[in-house]
């Protein structure tokens, strides 16, 4: 069974969608832990209520301390994949390079357009007619790694940024687990060491 860790920063809606699919058996994986950089993240409480081990990464001490804690979690649980599900920190190049091709992220825009923390807002302000969602491997640059899948979301004439954001989140919840399922089963090949 594929062992994964989930990283969150907030309410954990993508985390919930992934846990739903793990519990239903649609996504063949074991969620070893959910970790957050924020002590008050509502997603931690939700994960604990579902019986998942939770961890607080000590970013209040330093980025180095937080990533060392994450290294230890990875080794302790013998993770296959680290899945970023609304994690709003940038992992250091050193951390990423030590787990090359084993960290996955979801981004609320069609990369390479609109990288960074405000993908939905940036696309809206630019006036695009189509935006969407991207699942990609994490590399040493921000929102830059190999694209695994994308789902377009059309901007409707009567949209505002809030309605668009809701539809993008719904697209995330549909796309992420399906992409992870294909990744874990070997249907998607990353060009990295898929034999681990």
């Amino acid at each position: 069974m594929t062992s994964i860790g989930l990283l969150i920063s907030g309410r954990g809606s993508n985390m919930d969608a992934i846990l739903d699919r793990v519990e239903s058996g649609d996504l063949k994986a074991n969620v070893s832990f959910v970790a957050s950089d924020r002590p008050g993240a509502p997603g931690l409480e939700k994960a604990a209520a579902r019986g998942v081990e939770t961890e607080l990464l000590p970013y209040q001490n330093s980025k180095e301390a937080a990533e060392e804690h994450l290294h230890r979690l990875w080794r302790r649980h013998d993770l296959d994949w680290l899945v970023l599900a609304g994690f709003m920190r940038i992992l250091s190049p050193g951390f990423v390079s030590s787990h090359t091709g084993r960290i996955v992220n979801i981004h609320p825009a069609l990369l390479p357009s609109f990288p960074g923390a405000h993908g939905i807002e940036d696309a809206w302000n630019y006036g695009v007619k189509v935006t969407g969602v991207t699942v990609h491997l994490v590399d040493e640059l921000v929102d830059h790694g190999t694209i695994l899948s994308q789902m377009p979301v059309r901007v409707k004439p009567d949209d505002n940024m809030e309605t668009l954001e809701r539809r993008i989140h719904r697209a995330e919840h549909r796309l992420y687990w399906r992409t992870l399922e294909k990744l874990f089963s070997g249907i998607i090949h990353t060009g990295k060491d898929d034999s681990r």
Side-chain angles (χ1 to χ4, degrees):
M1 182 77 73
T2 301
S3 174
I4 67 173
L6 296 176
L7 297 189
I8 64 169
S9 288
R11 65 187 189 276
S13 65
N14 272 304
M15 173 203 75
D16 266 335
I18 290 168
L19 290 174
D20 286 345
R21 294 297 180 169
V22 168
E23 289 174 6
S24 71
D26 293 326
L27 179 59
K28 309 262 185 307
N30 174 55
V31 179
S32 298
F33 63 84
V34 172
S36 177
D37 60 319
R38 296 180 184 170
L44 286 179
E45 189 174 334
K46 291 197 285 186
R50 298 178 76 145
V52 180
E53 178 182 323
T54 60
E55 294 279 345
L56 178 62
L57 303 176
Y59 275 93
Q60 73 277 10
N61 296 338
S62 68
K63 185 172 188 170
E64 292 75 17
E67 291 188 350
E68 180 52 41
H69 188 77
L70 193 51
H71 273 302
R72 288 195 297 272
L73 286 171
W74 193 307
R75 290 192 296 268
R76 187 200 322 158
H77 293 283
D78 192 24
L79 288 191
D80 295 298
W81 294 93
L82 188 64
V83 177
L84 280 51
F87 186 63
M88 301 306 290
R89 297 273 184 169
I90 297 171
L91 295 169
S92 71
F95 183 91
V96 172
S97 65
S98 67
H99 302 290
T100 299
R102 289 288 160 187
I103 307 174
V104 192
N105 186 41
I106 191 161
H107 181 74
L110 294 176
L111 293 175
S113 298
F114 310 112
H118 307 289
I120 298 173
E121 182 180 356
D122 291 344
W124 173 261
N125 289 337
Y126 195 81
V128 299
K129 301 304 180 189
V130 179
T131 183
V133 176
T134 302
V135 180
H136 66 98
L137 294 180
V138 174
D139 67 9
E140 290 81 1
L141 303 177
V142 175
D143 295 329
H144 176 266
T146 302
I147 291 173
L148 303 177
S149 64
Q150 293 184 307
M151 180 180 286
V153 175
R154 293 199 170 275
V155 180
K156 298 179 178 179
D158 59 346
D159 263 332
N160 55 46
M161 204 167 73
E162 290 71 30
T163 59
L164 178 62
E165 184 172 5
R166 282 198 295 273
R167 295 208 328 283
I168 285 176
H169 288 324
R170 286 198 296 270
E172 288 179 335
H173 302 162
R174 290 196 301 271
L175 183 66
Y176 210 0
W177 78 268
R178 289 186 173 95
T179 305
L180 294 174
E181 192 274 329
K182 291 175 183 175
L183 189 61
F184 300 164
S185 65
I187 294 173
I188 293 176
H189 294 283
T190 65
K192 304 297 181 186
D193 178 14
D194 294 323
S195 63
R196 180 177 182 274

